[in-house]
């Protein structure tokens, strides 16, 4: 990160409304394996007292987003909410961009109604959402007033914890949303997106954490969307934050499990001082999803750290989703572990998209050239993390470079990225590309906060939404329209028909399987039969009418 | 463990023919994330120098045993052996009881020929096998001479490392096999089977390690077949062994991944001083199998520990098995993570067997009673680890207790277990049961080493084998017959027909799927067709001849 250095904060962030006092005296069930006669070094030399680790349950948002393309309907969640509510999680993540999108795009479900349902069914839990900073839940920057309204309405409808991030880690894209969360008195979680590159250092992440705390962050999340965070860097970043900003700075760690490494990362993170970690109930875990909640509980046995989760509740939640998951098997990702990303730097989803693009161009054989070009384009673009939308922007430009010649043509999006329209990239951008992008697009480079260049838009959004068929003209509807104008317009017209469950019931699955197995009894191609009629044997050709 | 205490060894076991000198100075690629300006505590305070961690690759034995019911044929392994050989593993596990059994039972493949093939294709690797102590690869105790012959022939045919274990951790069941391995000058790896119970303590495991070292063990394996080993106990056991018997005592750690916990266990084990860890190539990993090899490599980045594996070779091995695995999908276990075993103490395989038994008795509704009874029976039997054959013995007795009344009838095997015929159990046995077993079976309790009570049997085995149709009368054939008399007798008669591959080729899988989808074109039930012949329209009923 190329941001300028500020002085470290002297006042530590407080552990806001956290029921788990890290300094409380807690009785830990020490393992029977603790030896009586052998002198062993303590695993946990810096913490004299046992410590409760908070857990954020991901099953209602990121788990089904990562495993089942965000398709799970509210109908398949409501029955288990009581057990989730009573399990003792630090928070329950249940709302975010892809699930909001899927609600109105595929499920004919009002995402605000979903939020209110969660609020009603889980009265004792902190509800948590993922917010893309100035992008909110959409794919562009919004004017500050839209940001304020969105946060206000989310809080009003039941949201407690806002995890605010920006894909480029540009704090200027996070600032307004953090302010809005503070204004409504909710938990503002500032987020560090973790990635690996020559310009991403512990020092840089530490500096970003300081900027987030200066915005009033109640906690710092380390978000590892590509499962690249290994134990040692996790330890280093967490120790650095705790030592610089105080041990009471709450740190939440969010890892995916794609690379098979991150269960050890959670272990190292907790030992380094992480306060809350994210997991998903085991029947909705692993692969491109997350580490299993139950495994985390058991992993900590005897370490001097423990969760405070109710295993009976966890067992019922696990069984619930074990029953539900097969309904959505058509949306399942099959990849179980994928550690090659450490070498190639290309996440699996990005790779398959690029392969498809190449195939469509009849250039599938140039895959390896494109893979090498990705690294080069990413470097030229200042090492953005390869997540949406950066992965698409960098991948497509790499394909252009291989097929047409290096930077013969810049895509519109790549030019925008280079000119600063997405925000400040972590490293410096190749200056030749900035010149070229200006020439190609006639746009000027943007140096300030991207959202400062936006015109006010709230009144227009209100006006347009009011005119839409089926719109209730509530602020929520205006916000839904603002996020996804095209699909929201369509959704409003069908909303009254109620939610569609795109999963398949057991009966449907069985019926489909049987119909596949028995086949259509009418032959599809002409077949010659021997037919006996009135004692005469005839060869008869039969075909479908 | 209730064995009497011996004095700790004063001479540390040597790190026999290990190419990785732990004290050698090695250049480690330190992570770019290491901060320059922040003072961080070292993750690795006791080891000043970076250290190479050895890896045992499990894909050729335990991985396909755990994931594909040991069904993989040699044909699907040979093409990747060169890459495995060049990858730089500490050893390659490739032989053991279930795969030997599957060779002659399902694959018409001579397991000794398989071993020789591996030896030829992997000339630079240590080949490793799992040996059930006095049981060798079979399901009963063998006379010492059979043990000696088996080890001698295994070594002669190419085996280098013998991991010797006993399901009860009774050293008397391990002793003869260890002696035999030492005699042929191969690597004798003494094994601790890890389980959890009130009588299993770090001190007990430490004591067993001492007994194994006294037998001349070149290394100590901690074998965690049920994925119960969590980070803290792993750390405690390893530290205890290293501190008591010297830092040069080589420790190998074998964990399954069933519970989702053990990647963190490997991390803690390595930090505690483990020298070699077992993993399986990622395309044949996780679930009831093992942690992924590639993920281990990446996990250690920056920690001061590293493997010395060639990632190019690993990539090709991974791709190879990614292609092969779908052929065996009919044998796949579907369970991905199962952490409930920490609570129930009942491994998944044992639970499904018991449920089946109960169903057959029309008593499926008594499942929960039986589950509670298992814990009680296990305690009465001195807390044997619930692995084959103890899981079946304890499970069946628990069912008898629930259906017929507690200990109304002892099964033959449970009576044998109680009377010491399997060896010494970890804890004390309920004395009432010993009396009852004596009365029921008229057998006397057995106090000494079980194998001391066996009559010599080698000459008989030789004589019988020579008379079998198709037998070559080699020592290998005698040993194959000794392990599995019935299936060996049958195998000898079909051996010349050569190996059967029970996997399905891509073409077969496609053909099957197509046939399922299109259905058999001949209708299975009578169907009435309208048939037009010579301009006449007739209703004709057609049925399969």
């Amino acid at each position: 990160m190329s941001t300028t250095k500020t002085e470290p904060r002297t006042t530590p962030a407080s552990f806001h409304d956290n029921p788990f006092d890290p300094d409380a005296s807690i009785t830990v069930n020490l393992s029977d394996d603790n030896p009586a006669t052998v002198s062993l070094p303590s695993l946990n030399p810096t913490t004299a007292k046992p410590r409760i680790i908070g857990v954020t349950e991901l099953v209602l948002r990121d788990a089904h987003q990562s495993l089942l393309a965000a398709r799970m309907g509210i109908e398949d969640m409501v029955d288990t909410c009581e057990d989730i509510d009573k399990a003792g999680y630090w928070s329950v993540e249940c709302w975010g961009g892809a699930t909001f999108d899927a609600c109105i795009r595929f499920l004919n479900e009002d995402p605000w109604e979903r939020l209110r349902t969660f609020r009603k069914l889980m009265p004792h839990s902190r509800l948590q959402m993922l917010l893309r900073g100035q992008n909110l839940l959409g794919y562009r920057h919004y004017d500050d007033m839209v940001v304020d309204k969105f946060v206000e309405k989310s809080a009003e409808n039941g949201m407690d914890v806002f995890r605010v991030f920006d894909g480029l880690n540009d704090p200027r894209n996070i600032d307004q949303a953090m302010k809005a969360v503070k204004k409504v008195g909710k938990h503002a979680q500032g987020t560090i997106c973790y990635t690996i590159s020559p310009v991403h250092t512990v020092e840089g992440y530490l500096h970003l954490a300081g900027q987030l705390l200066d915005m009033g962050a109640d906690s710092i999340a380390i978000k590892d969307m590509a499962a690249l965070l290994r134990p040692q860097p996790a330890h280093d970043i967490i120790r650095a934050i705790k030592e610089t900003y105080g041990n009471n700075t709450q740190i939440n760690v969010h890892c995916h499990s794609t690379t098979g490494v991150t269960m050890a990362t959670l272990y190292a993170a907790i030992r380094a001082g992480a306060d809350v970690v994210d997991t998903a109930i085991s029947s909705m875990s692993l692969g491109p999803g997350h580490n299993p909640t139950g495994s985390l509980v058991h992993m900590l046995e005897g370490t001097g750290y423990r969760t405070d989760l109710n295993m009976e509740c966890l067992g019922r939640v696990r069984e619930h989703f074990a029953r539900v998951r097969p309904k959505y098997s058509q949306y399942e990702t099959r990849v179980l572990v994928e550690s090659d990303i450490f070498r190639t730097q290309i996440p699996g989803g990005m790779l398959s998209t690029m392969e498809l693009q190449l195939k469509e161009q009849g250039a599938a054989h140039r895959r390896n050239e494109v893979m090498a070009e990705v690294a080069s384009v990413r470097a030229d673009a200042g090492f953005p993390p390869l997540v949406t939308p950066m992965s698409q922007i960098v991948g497509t430009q790499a394909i252009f470079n291989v097929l047409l010649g290096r930077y013969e043509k810049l895509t519109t999006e790549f030019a925008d990225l280079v000119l600063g329209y997405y925000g400040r990239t972590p490293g410096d951008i190749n200056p030749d590309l900035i010149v070229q992008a200006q020439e190609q697009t006639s746009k000027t480079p943007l140096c300030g906060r991207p959202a400062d260049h936006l015109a006010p838009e709230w009144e227009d959004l209100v006006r347009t939404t009011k005119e839409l068929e089926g719109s209730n003209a509530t602020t929520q509807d205006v916000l839904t329209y603002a996020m996804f104008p095209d699909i929201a317009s369509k959704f409003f017209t069908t909303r009254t028909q109620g939610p569609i469950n795109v999963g398949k019931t057991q009966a449907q699955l069985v019926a489909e399987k049987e119909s596949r197995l028995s086949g259509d009894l009418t032959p599809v191609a002409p077949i010659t039969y021997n037919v006996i009629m009135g004692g005469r044997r005839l060869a008869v050709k039969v075909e479908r009418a």
Side-chain angles (χ1 to χ4, degrees), chain A:
Chain A
M1 272 150 290
S2 53
T3 49
T4 53
K5 177 132 194 172
T6 57
E7 283 302 299
R9 291 160 52 91
T10 45
T11 29
S14 64
F15 204 72
H16 280 265
D17 54 49
N18 186 335
F20 308 124
D21 175 0
D23 294 323
S25 174
I26 290 143
T27 311
V28 161
N29 296 318
L30 283 168
S31 158
D32 287 321
D33 296 339
N34 275 339
T37 57
V38 186
S39 157
L40 299 175
S42 169
L43 249 188
N44 187 17
T46 55
T47 314
K49 290 180 210 160
R51 179 136 189 257
I52 299 278
I53 300 300
V55 178
T56 293
E57 174 61 54
L58 301 169
V59 69
L60 301 179
R61 203 280 299 180
D62 202 6
H64 77 95
Q65 176 176 326
S66 302
L67 298 174
L68 309 176
R71 293 302 205 283
M72 195 177 287
I74 186 73
E75 181 191 359
D76 287 321
M77 305 178 189
V78 287
D79 289 344
T80 197
C81 282
E82 186 181 345
D83 281 316
I84 294 178
D85 194 39
K86 290 181 174 165
Y89 291 109
W90 185 82
S91 69
V92 178
E93 199 204 36
C94 60
W95 227 49
T99 55
F100 191 106
D101 185 341
C103 270
I104 58 172
R105 191 186 296 264
F106 303 114
L107 310 178
N108 204 45
E109 195 184 321
D110 192 321
W112 297 93
E113 182 59 31
R114 176 181 283 202
L115 174 55
R116 289 188 292 270
T117 303
F118 286 143
R119 179 71 290 162
K120 201 170 105 194
L121 296 178
M122 296 183 283
H124 310 98
S125 297
R126 286 189 193 85
L127 302 185
Q128 180 172 321
M129 77 171 294
L130 184 65
L131 193 67
R132 297 185 195 134
Q134 203 75 23
N135 287 359
L136 298 173
L137 304 182
Y139 299 112
R140 65 169 177 90
H141 287 127
Y142 291 92
D143 174 52
D144 290 342
M145 189 167 175
V146 183
V147 173
D148 291 348
K149 292 278 184 191
F150 185 89
V151 169
E152 194 185 304
K153 280 293 152 191
S154 301
E156 209 178 288
N157 283 272
M159 193 50 62
D160 298 304
V161 180
F162 293 76
R163 176 173 289 172
V164 186
F165 81 101
D166 174 63
L168 292 174
N169 280 334
D170 184 343
R172 303 168 309 168
N173 290 336
I174 297 175
D175 190 53
Q176 184 67 26
M178 293 290 281
K179 275 189 193 134
V181 177
K182 299 300 291 181
K183 202 169 124 195
V184 294
K186 297 296 182 180
H187 186 110
Q189 186 167 91
T191 304
I192 295 168
C193 286
Y194 181 78
T195 190
I196 299 175
S197 87
V199 302
H200 286 89
T201 62
V202 172
E203 204 183 10
Y205 290 125
L206 175 64
H207 179 61
L208 176 58
Q211 293 175 303
L212 296 167
L213 291 169
D214 284 335
M215 291 177 195
D218 298 303
S219 58
I220 300 292
I222 303 172
K223 176 176 161 66
D224 172 32
M225 52 279 169
L228 290 171
L229 182 59
R230 291 154 305 171
Q232 182 74 44
H235 170 275
D236 295 347
I237 295 168
I238 291 166
R239 287 312 312 146
I241 294 173
K242 292 275 182 176
E243 288 178 16
T244 308
Y245 305 117
N247 252 325
N248 285 334
T249 312
Q250 181 180 332
I251 299 180
N252 291 43
V253 179
H254 175 90
C255 287
H256 283 247
S257 52
T258 332
T259 58
V261 170
T262 57
M263 194 66 176
T265 304
L266 296 188
Y267 177 77
I270 287 168
R271 295 194 55 226
D275 300 279
V276 181
V277 296
D278 289 14
T279 58
I281 198 76
S282 64
S283 50
M284 284 285 290
S285 71
L286 294 183
H290 314 83
N291 293 292
T293 309
S295 305
L296 174 86
V297 175
H298 293 294
M299 178 179 79
L300 296 179
E301 177 82 20
T303 57
Y305 303 93
R306 66 181 181 95
T307 67
D308 207 17
L309 296 177
N310 181 316
M311 295 307 282
E312 300 296 320
C313 291
L314 253 53
R316 288 191 295 270
V317 176
R318 185 189 64 226
E319 293 307 318
H320 172 85
F321 287 105
R323 282 192 301 274
V324 162
R325 185 168 177 173
K327 289 176 62 176
Y328 296 91
S329 61
Q330 57 185 314
Y331 302 106
E332 284 262 6
T333 320
R334 302 290 162 196
V335 175
L336 193 53
V337 59
E338 181 202 303
S339 57
D340 217 31
I341 179 179
F342 284 112
R343 190 176 61 82
T344 64
Q345 297 289 317
I346 301 175
M350 177 177 172
L351 186 60
S352 46
T353 305
M354 285 195 320
E355 283 171 342
L356 199 68
Q357 287 175 294
L358 278 174
K359 210 173 153 188
E360 283 166 0
Q361 301 295 323
H365 60 289
R366 305 192 72 174
R367 176 181 180 277
N368 290 346
E369 280 171 87
V370 170
M371 280 177 73
E373 186 66 16
V374 164
S376 163
V377 173
R378 186 181 179 221
D380 284 337
F383 295 102
L386 294 180
V387 287
T388 303
M390 306 307 156
S391 46
Q392 290 85 341
I393 297 174
V394 169
T396 307
Q397 186 62 50
I399 291 175
F400 272 49
N401 285 6
V402 167
L403 298 186
L404 309 176
R406 182 169 279 178
Y407 300 122
E408 274 300 313
K409 176 162 173 46
L410 307 184
T411 68
T412 310
E413 292 77 13
F414 189 75
D416 276 353
L417 176 63
V418 158
L419 293 174
Y421 284 84
Y422 288 89
R424 185 181 288 143
T425 54
D428 292 334
I429 288 173
N430 180 338
D432 294 345
L433 285 178
I434 300 178
V435 173
Q436 187 183 341
Q438 276 181 275
E439 283 169 2
Q440 189 184 304
T441 63
S442 309
K443 284 184 181 176
T444 49
L446 193 148
C447 292
R449 187 179 79 114
D452 283 339
H453 301 261
L454 299 173
E457 56 179 328
W458 182 250
E459 296 308 328
D460 277 352
L461 289 166
V462 171
R463 206 171 307 119
T464 313
T465 308
K466 273 189 179 152
E467 286 163 11
L468 290 173
E469 185 197 335
S471 148
N472 295 330
T474 58
T475 304
Q476 286 93 310
D477 269 10
V478 178
L479 290 163
T480 303
Y481 172 74
M483 295 304 109
F484 305 100
D486 294 341
I487 52 170
S489 307
K490 190 170 165 296
F491 163 70
F492 292 148
T493 67
T494 59
R495 174 163 49 187
T496 53
Q497 295 161 28
I500 294 164
N501 191 316
V502 299
K504 288 177 177 164
T505 63
Q506 194 54 32
Q508 284 173 306
L509 289 169
V510 168
E512 273 187 13
K513 196 177 171 196
E514 278 176 356
S515 120
R516 261 204 313 278
L517 286 176
S518 65
D520 184 343
L521 287 179
T522 314
V524 288
I527 288 191
T528 303
Y529 288 93
N530 293 323
V531 178
I532 292 101
M533 286 186 298
R536 286 174 61 204
R537 185 190 179 87
L538 293 171
V540 179
K541 193 151 92 178
V542 178
E543 61 188 20
R544 197 174 268 173

